[in-house]
Amino acid sequence: MSFSTFNLAAFETAHQDARHVLATDLDRICRDTGFLLLEGHGVAQSTIDDMWAAATAFFAQDATDKRKVSPPYQGYPYGYLGPETEALARSKGEETPPDLKESFNGGPLAVPQDAGDDARAFCYQPTLWPDLPGFRPAWEAYYSAMEALAARVMRAFAAALQLPDGYFAPFIAHPISALRALHYPATDTAPLDRQQRAGAHTDYGSLTILLPQPGRKGLQVMRDDSWIDVPAHEGTFVINIGDLMARWTADRWVSTMHRVVAHPGQPPRQSLAFFHQPDWDAEITPLDGSDTYAPVCSGPYLMQKFQATGV
Ligand SMILES: O=C(O)CCC(=O)C(=O)O
Ligand SMILES: [Fe+2]
C-alpha cells in the first residue's frame, strides 16, 4: 500500500468544489488508514532544525544528567523516561519486555487561570527543563508550532466530517497536548522476544503529529494483519488519528495500531511526537448523535490511558 498525502495549504486556499474534493479525500484517508503524510504545513524549517538540535543535545548527555529531569514520582506525566521504563504494548494488555527507547516529555506551555485541581495535579504539572542552553526556547517554539498546526488540521477535519470549519474550536481552546522527543539507541544485539523500539499501540488523543528522523525507517502500521513501513521524508509530518477521535466519530475514523520495529544492527533513530488532546473539560460525545459511546471528559480519559503503560 502507499500512504496518502494531504496538502494542508492546498486545502486551505481551495474554494467550493475543489475544497469539497480535498475534504472528501481527507475523510476517506481517516476512515481507511487513519494515517497520512502532511505537506503544505508551513512550519518553519528553522523551528524544526532547532528542535532536532535540542533533542540531540539532550540525549547526548550522560545518564546522570538526563536523570536530573526524571519524573519525581510514578505517574508524573513529564520529564525523562530512560530505557526500561515504558512498554506501549501494555496499553493493549500485551505483556512485553520494555521498549528500546528513551524519551523526554513536556506539557502545555501555560496553565489557564480556571484550571481545576485535578487538571493541575496531572497535565498542568510543570515541564522539567534540562540545564542545556537553548533547549527551552527551541522546545517551546516547536510546541507552539505544533499546537497551531493541530488547530489547522482540526479545521480540515471538521470539513472532512461535514461540520462547520470552526466546530472543534471550543473543544481545543486550552488543549492539554504533550510533546515527546524520542531516541531509539542503535541496536547491537538481538532484541528480546516480542521486544520492540515502541511496542504495538494506538495513540490516545485526537491526533498525533509525528516527525520521524528523515530517512530512518522503523515506524510501521498494521494493515490487514501485516506491518507496513511508513516513509520518513524530509519536510513531511505524519499525522494519525488517536483513540479519542475514533470515539468522537463513532468509529467512522480509525485509530490504527502502529509500532517502531526493532532488529539487530539498526542505527540510532529519533522522532518528535506531538499528542494533541482537547481541553481537560471537553466533553467528547459521538458526533453522529448515536449512543455508540458514552460521553467522556478529555482530561480524565487521557489520565486513565496514560497510567496503563509504566513498567
Ligand atoms: O517514533 C515513532 O516513529 C513513533 C512513536 C510512537 O508511535 C509513539 O510514541 O506513540
Ligand atoms: Fe504512537
Side-chain angles (χ1 to χ4, degrees):
M1 76 171 268
S2 64
F3 278 86
S4 300
T5 299
F6 183 76
N7 190 308
L8 188 56
F11 168 77
E12 288 170 338
T13 52
H15 294 287
Q16 293 168 351
D17 289 359
R19 193 172 194 278
H20 182 69
V21 167
L22 293 171
T24 305
D25 196 39
L26 182 57
D27 176 53
R28 178 193 58 76
I29 300 166
C30 293
R31 288 165 66 179
D32 188 26
T33 57
F35 264 81
L36 59 89
L37 307 180
L38 189 79
E39 290 179 351
H41 52 72
V43 177
Q45 191 58 42
S46 58
T47 305
I48 295 173
D49 292 344
D50 290 352
M51 180 64 205
W52 280 131
T56 303
F58 177 80
F59 292 117
Q61 298 177 106
D62 61 37
T64 319
D65 285 330
K66 287 188 265 197
R67 287 204 198 104
K68 286 182 184 154
V69 290
S70 291
Y73 54 84
Q74 172 126 41
Y76 192 91
Y78 309 128
Y80 171 67
L81 296 179
E84 315 279 308
T85 52
E86 192 178 69
L88 281 176
R90 291 190 189 190
S91 62
K92 296 287 170 200
E94 206 202 328
E95 280 299 313
T96 67
D99 295 342
L100 293 165
K101 70 179 180 206
E102 54 181 348
S103 67
F104 178 82
N105 304 272
L109 302 184
V111 184
Q113 268 179 355
D114 61 353
D117 289 346
D118 45 358
R120 285 175 193 269
F122 182 59
C123 61
Y124 289 120
Q125 290 285 5
T127 296
L128 307 172
W129 299 109
D131 186 13
L132 286 173
F135 184 94
R136 183 171 178 173
W139 183 276
E140 292 189 336
Y142 189 84
Y143 188 105
S144 299
M146 291 302 103
E147 199 166 64
L149 180 58
R152 288 168 59 205
V153 174
M154 289 297 279
R155 288 180 73 84
F157 278 179
L161 292 164
Q162 299 186 323
L163 297 165
D165 275 15
Y167 182 85
F168 289 118
F171 297 87
I172 58 168
H174 299 289
I176 53 169
S177 311
L179 176 58
R180 159 172 274 204
L182 284 144
H183 174 235
Y184 304 93
T187 50
D188 303 325
T189 51
L192 301 174
D193 183 38
R194 291 178 302 122
Q195 189 173 35
Q196 304 295 352
R197 284 181 147 180
H201 68 282
T202 53
D203 293 346
Y204 309 148
S206 29
L207 65 96
T208 303
I209 308 178
L210 181 77
L211 189 59
Q213 182 177 347
R216 291 283 154 94
K217 290 206 306 196
L219 175 63
Q220 301 181 320
V221 305
M222 174 66 98
R223 219 26 211 156
D224 302 328
D225 283 334
S226 51
W227 290 106
I228 312 290
D229 288 326
V230 180
H233 301 310
E234 181 91 55
T236 304
F237 290 101
V238 178
I239 305 272
N240 66 283
I241 300 299
D243 298 342
L244 193 67
M245 186 54 88
R247 189 179 176 114
W248 217 344
T249 62
D251 295 325
R252 177 180 182 84
W253 289 2
V254 289
S255 176
T256 298
M257 284 268 253
H258 54 284
R259 69 177 186 183
V260 182
V261 71
H263 299 299
Q266 283 171 309
R269 176 177 179 273
Q270 287 192 59
S271 66
L272 304 167
F274 180 80
F275 301 105
H276 184 248
Q277 182 76 27
D279 302 356
W280 178 273
D281 289 327
E283 198 182 78
I284 310 302
T285 308
L287 289 163
D288 64 357
S290 72
D291 58 2
T292 314
Y293 292 106
V296 282
C297 197
S298 168
Y301 176 85
L302 174 68
M303 198 163 87
Q304 180 233 319
K305 291 258 184 183
F306 179 85
Q307 283 161 353
T309 52
V311 176

